Amino acid sequence: MDASLSGGCACSGGIATASSGGLFITFEGGEGSGKTTQARLLARRLRRRGVDVLLTHEPGGTPLGERARRILKGAIPASPLAELLLFAAARAQLVAGVLRPALEAGTWVVCDRYTDSTVAYQGYGRGLDMAAIRAVNALATGSLRPSLTFLLDVPVEAGLRRKGASDDRFEGEGLAFHRRVRSGYRELARRESGRVVVVDGREAASVIARRIWARVEPLLG
Ligand code: TYD
């Protein structure tokens, strides 16, 4: 069982590590931050070290979540509240159906986006009430929190350039929206510095991967 579920943990550099069972690691960042690449690289490296790893992403990771993803990334009009609740529905299914069972079975989970995305995009980006977002996140996850989060930070313009033109609901938002998302993420990282590690996403992928590995390897025990 994950340390954050069982309460039984060892500590390494202030990070709660599972004494027995899976560790939950998330990747966060704005558009074109390179987090998907890094999540994959970390999962591969862990597997090479013999760790049982589940790599997944949000929104998605379950049939319901993938359906919600298509809606959320498409052009169907959705109010900010409807958007928040769709992300929450997808997350509730992923946590109950996939993440919790995996962690309880001792599998490590690497997840590309999780609750911090909602704080950054629906909270700072859309301007929804933070207390409501926290309540919805807690409800959807049963308060399952990651032990460690990597925030890939890149300037907004550079990230959007990397992604290229798109009619995606979020990628199509203006610069001001993405700037709020970025500064929201940075603010969150300052407040939760014990959990969130900020990584400069402008560096080469191999350099970033080494920095991330330097944080994760000591947790292998
Ligand atoms: P995705 O294609 O997965 O983008 P990325 O590769 O940047 O992760 O699309 C997911 C989009 O959904 C992304 O723009 C961020 C947004 N999002 C939210 O607004 N709130 C959330 O809670 C989550 C999980 C994602």
Side-chain angles (χ1 to χ4, degrees), residues 25-30 32-48 53-57 108-113 148-154 162 197-216:
I25 301 174
T26 59
F27 282 79
E28 295 283 354
S33 61
K35 64 186 170 39
T36 303
T37 303
Q38 293 301 328
R40 287 194 188 128
L41 288 173
L42 177 62
R44 199 167 72 192
R45 208 153 186 179
L46 284 167
R47 284 183 188 129
R48 282 208 204 110
V53 183
L54 174 85
L55 173 65
T56 188
H57 61 269
W108 285 40
V109 171
V110 175
C111 193
D112 183 355
R113 295 198 183 280
L148 180 60
T149 296
F150 291 102
L151 170 58
L152 280 277
D153 182 52
V154 291
R162 263 192 205 168
V197 177
V198 183
V199 183
D200 186 345
R202 290 169 303 183
E203 298 201 84
S206 58
V207 174
I208 298 173
R210 270 202 299 282
R211 289 196 202 295
I212 289 171
W213 186 243
R215 294 291 189 131
V216 174

Side-chain angles (χ1 to χ4, degrees), residues 4-221:
S4 59
L5 297 176
S6 67
C9 77
C11 283
S12 170
I15 296 164
T17 65
S19 48
S20 65
L23 204 78
F24 182 20
I25 301 174
T26 59
F27 282 79
E28 295 283 354
E31 309 303 315
S33 61
K35 64 186 170 39
T36 303
T37 303
Q38 293 301 328
R40 287 194 188 128
L41 288 173
L42 177 62
R44 199 167 72 192
R45 208 153 186 179
L46 284 167
R47 284 183 188 129
R48 282 208 204 110
R49 289 287 293 265
V51 178
D52 186 20
V53 183
L54 174 85
L55 173 65
T56 188
H57 61 269
E58 278 211 45
T62 66
L64 184 146
E66 293 301 332
R67 182 65 67 90
R69 178 186 181 83
R70 281 209 295 280
I71 296 171
L72 282 160
K73 289 188 59 94
I76 296 174
S79 73
L81 180 60
E83 186 183 283
L84 169 71
L85 295 174
L86 266 174
F87 279 115
R91 181 167 302 138
Q93 188 63 28
L94 184 69
V95 169
V98 179
L99 302 193
R100 249 178 221 286
L103 291 165
E104 287 175 3
T107 301
W108 285 40
V109 171
V110 175
C111 193
D112 183 355
R113 295 198 183 280
Y114 191 59
T115 47
D116 297 327
S117 285
T118 315
V119 172
Y121 280 78
Q122 280 65 53
Y124 289 94
R126 297 274 191 241
L128 283 179
D129 179 61
M130 283 296 179
I133 287 178
R134 274 196 295 275
V136 168
N137 274 345
L139 187 66
T141 62
S143 298
L144 175 69
R145 281 186 294 270
S147 296
L148 180 60
T149 296
F150 291 102
L151 170 58
L152 280 277
D153 182 52
V154 291
V156 164
E157 292 85 347
L160 290 173
R161 252 198 319 274
R162 263 192 205 168
K163 276 251 161 157
S166 164
D167 53 3
D168 176 291
R169 184 190 304 276
F170 297 97
E171 287 158 29
E173 283 288 343
L175 278 181
F177 174 86
H178 292 289
R179 289 202 178 108
R180 288 196 298 279
V181 169
R182 184 184 185 205
S183 61
Y185 265 133
R186 286 153 68 110
E187 168 69 28
L188 192 157
R190 274 192 293 277
R191 272 193 282 110
E192 295 200 46
S193 56
R195 170 177 68 89
V196 183
V197 177
V198 183
V199 183
D200 186 345
R202 290 169 303 183
E203 298 201 84
S206 58
V207 174
I208 298 173
R210 270 202 299 282
R211 289 196 202 295
I212 289 171
W213 186 243
R215 294 291 189 131
V216 174
E217 193 178 25
L219 308 177
L220 285 172

